[in-house]
Amino acid sequence: MVLLHPAHAQRTEMVEMKKVRLTFTLDKDGVPFYQVAFDGKPVLLSSRLGFVLSEDSVFYKGFQWKGVERRLVDTVWQPVWGETKDIRDHYEQLIVHLEKTGGGGAAAMGSLPGRQLDIIFRVFEDGVGFRYEFPLQPGLKYFIVSDELTEFHLAGDHKTFWIPGDYDTNEYPYTTSKLSEIDNKDLVKKSTDIAVRVAPDEYAVQTPLMMKSAEGLYINIHEAALVNYPAMQLHVDRGSFTLTSRLVPDAVGNKAYLHAPFPTPWRTIIISDKAADVLASKMILNLNEPSKIGNTGWIHPMKFVGVWWEMQTGKSTWSYSDFSDSTGAAGGLIPNGRHGANTANVKRYIDFAAKNHIGGVLVEGWNTGWEDWFGNWKENVFDFVTPYPDFDVKEIMGYAASKGVHMIMHNETSGSATNYERQMDTAFRYMNRWGYTSVKTGYVGRIIPRGEHHDGQWMVNHYVRVAQKAAWYHVMLDAHEPVRPTGLQRTYPNWLACEAARGNEYNAFSNGNAPEHETILPFTRLMGGPMDYTPGIFRLKGYSDVPGRQVHTTLAKQLALYVTLYSPLQMAADLPENYEAHGDAFQFIKDVPVDWDDTRILEAEPGDYLTIARKEKGTNNWYLGAITGGHSRTTTLSLSFLDKGRKYQATIYKDGESAHWKNNPEAYTIEKRMVDSQTQLTVQLAEGGGAAVSITVF
Ligand code: NOJ
Ligand code: CA
């Protein structure tokens, strides 16, 4: 629809989908702007669009209107794995074609061809996605983005859940504050538990950024399909509540090297008056390309245990020796006697996995190089194929195969992506040869190529190359310390999970995660994709020699996280002996699925509480997880999502009466009762507590 536009506006277009309204304007100076409203209320006030290119420093003004295209799409597709069986993709698309005449003196003489820019908007029922596209054109071929100027001009001083805009990490704790109060300087400075921190703008934050307005509107800003482009961080203007795109720079300060035709990642704005709708949104997945992997039969979600938490808590070591120069007369490393990845110990985990129907076993510290793997900005750290002398790969892989257990390879790069790129084929051939079906990668440390950042264009491309290479070798991928995900798991369904946030591991080696942390993650980091959070810690205190160190949840909440923190790859992170000490509670981890036909967000409030019910893939069984932040809570849940007339048995794992994350985290009770679709289930959650319920057909 073409509107009567204000006198100064050159042109205005509007798209509406239910409560969401997008307005695009090209003003009299040829500057593109957009606005977003929800249910008649402004969400984004007039916000600028455009770029500074090294070829054209004002690629944000002087545009002329060339026309629009509109299209309505309403389809349903099926993910290879996921939270629901079917995903509806329903939007109206508006493509705006803009052009500017050639710049400089040559243009005056009319000899330079014009430059074109398309802006593609997709308006969904739950928000707006838009991307820029540089079409194939004679006037712009190879070019460099100096800055992207995209703005999100918020209508108020919203409550915001944020972490610092850091070029190298997403592993910060969340701060909840008003937009006008955002300042990351102190937090960055004191976060010495994070290996690499580069946050030059104290007013910049990461996406996904979650906000709540005073009127109760929930707004989430992120991006989708981040490929061949740096991550977008947001600079906050604390006076006007305007967020401006800040792209992570490369080693020489440029942002992106592009070659037209090129579409940028989508910028996403998810909006609802219900927090649950934000979590249920499929917009980011919908804005990604369908799977590029034809045969996906080899991709299978699973749970896993690992020779891992024992290293994180100091019980054993990744390294074989304590020092790289600690060698004996024959030149070999002198063992420290505490190496975790030894054959006997690995077999113990394989036995535990087999006995409890846990699909996989991860082993870290199996390959040489861990004596001085970190902090030296070394080019060549690991070769990914040389085991320590006490890790008998042949025996281990044969043993795992005989027990039907999948082994998960560990490739820590220490940030030396160049080294990994050189070794990658060799590493994946090694996995194929020995039968590893998955790999966990890691990027702890300053990046090589030196000067690059974890979230810059070069590394964004690296992570995708690893996913593609893994797919070629039929290996599933779990990346630690990559750029935060943007829905690419739709395109590369072998890329099952990422860390890219502050995981449970921070409870092992630092002061850990606050009780509200896991109620914020689904609204922030997980909006882009599944997280390998490593839940399931049962021994919540006393696992570390450091006084005061503990996990800031109850045991029942650790169970609930298997439902509330979605991942097709879920670790049962604690030690086998700690699970054996609580076999009754461990039953929930054994039973809980990792792939789902349906998901219902029953209640949600970021920073406060979250309750989700999910239906197991291919069955009629449901699993429910309820968590709370720092406050205790009583909630009554309607089980009306169950099939009418069907009887189910519910097993309820809940906080004991005296449970409290701080003083009594391991108190829980387990209760069984019959339920049906009429049942109202009341559960009490302790401070930092939770409840997990399996509801199986009787
Ligand atoms: C950090 C990862 O998040 C963790 O899971 C891993 O154990 C260490 N790096 C060592 O690779
Ligand atoms: Ca990490």
Side-chain angles (χ1 to χ4, degrees):
M1 161 186 21
V2 179
L3 298 176
L4 281 179
H5 42 83
H8 66 275
Q10 194 179 332
R11 189 83 179 229
T12 295
E13 293 273 326
M14 200 170 91
V15 184
E16 267 176 316
M17 176 68 79
K18 294 250 173 91
K19 292 181 177 173
V20 179
R21 190 178 67 219
L22 165 91
T23 312
F24 175 84
T25 306
L26 189 69
D27 80 359
K28 67 173 190 331
D29 298 320
V31 180
F33 287 91
Y34 74 110
Q35 293 173 46
V36 177
F38 183 86
D39 207 11
K41 297 182 207 83
V43 175
L44 296 182
L45 309 176
S46 196
S47 303
R48 190 166 64 160
L49 299 162
F51 295 89
V52 175
L53 305 181
S54 66
E55 288 72 10
D56 181 346
S57 59
V58 288
F59 206 66
Y60 55 86
K61 67 177 185 184
F63 285 105
Q64 284 172 11
W65 190 267
K66 280 302 194 195
V68 295
E69 290 171 64
R70 281 172 182 266
R71 187 164 71 117
L72 192 66
V73 171
D74 194 357
T75 54
V76 175
W77 58 281
Q78 286 76 35
V80 175
W81 43 261
E83 295 175 89
T84 55
K85 188 163 74 180
D86 297 310
I87 294 179
R88 183 177 180 201
D89 191 9
H90 178 211
Y91 61 87
E92 181 166 344
Q93 176 168 285
L94 169 77
I95 305 183
V96 180
H97 299 288
L98 303 175
E99 186 172 37
K100 54 193 300 202
T101 50
M109 292 183 280
S111 60
L112 267 188
R115 288 187 173 147
Q116 297 156 23
L117 178 68
D118 291 345
I119 307 174
I120 307 174
F121 294 95
R122 288 190 183 170
V123 182
F124 300 82
E125 287 176 32
D126 55 359
V128 175
F130 67 90
R131 77 185 337 171
Y132 302 91
E133 187 156 337
F134 299 90
L136 186 66
Q137 53 189 299
L140 199 61
K141 203 168 178 193
Y142 291 95
F143 59 103
I144 296 172
V145 175
S146 306
D147 274 310
E148 182 187 315
L149 302 181
T150 306
E151 287 178 352
F152 306 86
H153 186 172
L154 291 145
D157 191 8
H158 304 325
K159 177 178 177 183
T160 306
F161 302 85
W162 59 272
I163 55 172
D166 191 305
Y167 299 167
D168 283 284
T169 182
N170 291 271
E171 297 193 1
Y172 289 98
Y174 287 94
T175 302
T176 306
S177 79
K178 290 188 167 179
L179 276 169
S180 60
E181 293 162 354
I182 289 176
D183 184 343
N184 66 42
K185 194 164 74 256
D186 292 342
L187 178 59
V188 172
K189 196 165 163 218
K190 73 173 191 216
S191 295
T192 49
D193 50 1
I194 303 173
V196 182
R197 282 124 57 223
V198 179
D201 177 356
E202 71 184 274
Y203 304 116
V205 294
Q206 296 276 22
T207 71
L209 187 70
M210 186 68 213
M211 289 165 282
K212 184 183 183 186
S213 76
E215 297 77 38
L217 218 52
Y218 297 86
I219 306 162
N220 185 282
I221 298 181
H222 188 38
E223 60 180 318
L226 173 60
V227 177
N228 196 17
Y229 202 80
M232 175 182 71
Q233 304 186 340
L234 298 171
H235 169 84
V236 184
D237 183 291
R238 306 195 308 171
S240 68
F241 321 131
T242 303
L243 313 178
T244 307
S245 162
R246 286 280 191 276
L247 302 178
V248 174
D250 79 344
V252 298
N254 290 323
K255 307 295 165 44
Y257 301 82
L258 304 182
H259 179 193
F262 181 83
T264 69
W266 296 91
R267 278 66 188 93
T268 59
I269 306 125
I270 296 171
I271 314 156
S272 179
D273 45 13
K274 290 184 210 67
D277 291 351
V278 173
L279 299 182
S281 175
K282 295 286 174 277
M283 186 202 291
I284 288 173
L285 277 178
N286 279 328
L287 290 170
N288 274 271
E289 298 295 316
S291 174
K292 286 192 196 289
I293 302 174
N295 160 24
T296 55
W298 51 276
I299 298 170
H300 53 91
M302 64 176 173
K303 286 170 280 188
F304 66 103
V305 290
V307 183
W308 180 74
W309 188 246
E310 57 176 84
M311 281 94 101
Q312 291 286 355
T313 53
K315 194 177 154 219
S316 69
T317 60
W318 279 271
S319 63
Y320 180 71
S321 185
D322 280 341
F323 306 99
S324 59
D325 51 5
S326 151
T327 48
L333 284 170
I334 300 171
N336 63 12
R338 294 186 300 124
H339 180 226
N342 66 75
T343 304
N345 196 32
V346 173
K347 282 180 156 179
R348 190 167 71 91
Y349 280 81
I350 294 172
D351 286 340
F352 181 79
K355 184 171 150 212
N356 294 294
H357 307 291
I358 301 281
V361 174
L362 164 77
V363 184
E364 297 201 359
W366 68 276
N367 58 331
T368 59
W370 287 91
E371 283 70 26
D372 63 347
W373 71 283
F374 166 70
N376 302 316
W377 219 6
K378 279 204 302 189
E379 175 78 42
N380 297 320
V381 190
F382 298 106
D383 69 5
F384 313 101
V385 292
T386 308
Y388 279 124
D390 59 347
F391 182 90
D392 187 335
V393 67
K394 187 167 179 213
E395 189 176 335
I396 286 167
M397 297 312 288
Y399 191 71
S402 77
K403 300 250 170 177
V405 170
H406 293 268
M407 296 304 288
I408 302 178
M409 167 54 74
H410 185 229
N411 284 175
E412 172 60 65
T413 68
S414 185
S416 182
T418 43
N419 181 43
Y420 197 42
E421 296 254 355
R422 285 191 295 275
Q423 312 290 335
M424 220 154 37
D425 275 295
T426 311
F428 280 110
R429 274 191 228 113
Y430 186 87
M431 292 176 227
N432 279 178
R433 172 173 171 217
W434 293 111
Y436 287 88
T437 55
S438 320
V439 63
K440 169 181 170 180
T441 55
Y443 297 88
V444 177
R446 293 171 80 183
I447 293 297
I448 303 179
R450 294 191 181 88
E452 293 297 333
H453 296 287
H454 284 75
D455 291 3
Q457 184 188 21
W458 198 94
M459 284 303 289
V460 162
N461 287 337
H462 168 80
Y463 307 123
V464 173
R465 277 196 293 276
V466 174
Q468 290 168 333
K469 188 67 83 178
W472 171 259
Y473 287 96
H474 285 198
V475 171
M476 295 175 280
L477 173 64
D478 169 18
H480 275 230
E481 299 88 28
V483 69
R484 75 282 184 279
T486 57
L488 284 171
Q489 67 271 21
R490 177 178 179 188
T491 313
Y492 302 105
N494 67 315
W495 193 351
L496 270 76
C498 291
E499 183 194 41
R502 192 175 181 91
N504 226 355
E505 66 186 28
Y506 273 79
N507 291 304
F509 58 75
S510 82
N511 288 337
N513 304 338
E516 73 268 19
H517 187 64
E518 296 93 348
T519 69
I520 299 173
L521 278 173
F523 289 95
T524 51
R525 158 66 183 77
L526 274 91
M527 292 300 294
M531 177 175 178
D532 181 18
Y533 186 71
T534 71
I537 301 303
F538 275 16
R539 186 160 184 215
L540 297 144
K541 281 173 138 179
Y543 52 79
S544 163
D545 292 341
V546 182
R549 203 153 275 182
Q550 69 173 105
V551 179
H552 304 82
T553 76
T554 64
L555 190 149
K557 180 167 171 178
Q558 289 289 315
L559 296 180
L561 296 179
Y562 285 86
V563 182
T564 59
L565 284 176
Y566 168 65
S567 180
L569 212 53
Q570 281 288 26
M571 188 172 199
D574 211 338
L575 312 179
E577 51 269 39
N578 294 338
Y579 289 137
E580 272 152 8
H582 298 285
D584 54 354
F586 186 61
Q587 187 63 41
F588 184 80
I589 299 183
K590 284 167 71 170
D591 293 341
V592 69
V594 278
D595 202 7
W596 310 96
D597 272 342
D598 201 0
T599 286
R600 306 289 170 90
I601 317 294
L602 302 184
E603 45 175 11
E605 183 62 32
D608 209 351
Y609 58 83
L610 173 60
T611 304
I612 302 184
R614 302 190 196 268
K615 189 178 185 203
E616 180 177 24
K617 179 134 247 139
T619 78
N620 281 309
N621 299 333
W622 288 77
Y623 292 80
L624 187 148
I627 61 168
T628 177
H631 304 289
S632 62
R633 174 161 204 269
T634 302
T635 181
T636 299
L637 306 163
S638 159
L639 304 189
S640 58
F641 50 84
L642 297 176
D643 287 350
K644 306 269 166 290
R646 205 190 272 278
K647 291 268 170 241
Y648 298 80
Q649 183 176 63
T651 309
I652 306 157
Y653 304 76
K654 57 185 180 185
D655 293 324
E657 259 177 41
S658 58
H660 187 293
W661 69 265
K662 194 168 177 32
N663 302 320
N664 195 13
E666 289 169 23
Y668 61 88
T669 59
I670 302 172
E671 177 197 322
K672 282 190 196 294
R673 59 174 277 198
M674 298 302 295
V675 296
D676 59 28
S677 63
Q678 310 282 311
T679 304
Q680 301 285 315
L681 190 67
T682 299
V683 278
Q684 252 174 311
L685 315 179
E687 285 91 339
V693 189
S694 59
I695 307 171
T696 52
V697 174
F698 193 67

